[in-house]
Amino acid sequence: MPTLPPAAPESFEQALAELDALVERMEGGQLPLDQLLDGYRRGAELLAYCRSRLEAVEEQVKVLDNGRLEAWTAG
């Protein structure tokens, strides 16, 4: 019986948490080889999702800053 593909993350934070947990399991040697490959694929999907969300936010910040993205200064 084929397995269903994992659901798309609901948020950046959820994707990041899942990616973190996945990396921890992979680095801990807790996955058999076939699951390691599936984990790598899922990690690539999560990473692409996180990057796209960050790029979208960056574009929104540029719009708010009249097309300029300036360095963040804490102060």
Side-chain angles (χ1 to χ4, degrees), residues 1-29:
M1 180 176 194
T3 60
L4 296 174
E10 293 181 18
S11 67
F12 175 83
E13 293 78 12
Q14 181 190 28
L16 195 57
E18 183 181 344
L19 185 57
D20 187 47
L22 181 60
V23 167
E24 189 175 313
R25 285 196 314 270
M26 291 172 77
E27 286 179 345

Side-chain angles (χ1 to χ4, degrees), residues 4-69:
L4 296 174
E10 293 181 18
S11 67
F12 175 83
E13 293 78 12
Q14 181 190 28
L16 195 57
E18 183 181 344
L19 185 57
D20 187 47
L22 181 60
V23 167
E24 189 175 313
R25 285 196 314 270
M26 291 172 77
E27 286 179 345
Q30 300 172 9
L31 297 174
L33 187 58
D34 58 336
Q35 289 181 8
L36 188 62
L37 182 57
D38 289 341
Y40 182 84
R41 287 186 186 126
R42 179 62 175 168
E45 292 169 1
L46 292 167
L47 185 57
Y49 174 84
C50 288
R51 283 183 176 157
S52 71
R53 292 299 303 140
L54 287 172
E55 289 170 1
V57 168
E58 183 178 286
E59 288 303 313
Q60 291 175 9
V61 169
K62 283 181 185 178
V63 168
L64 293 172
D65 284 342
N66 296 318
R68 298 182 321 269
L69 185 61

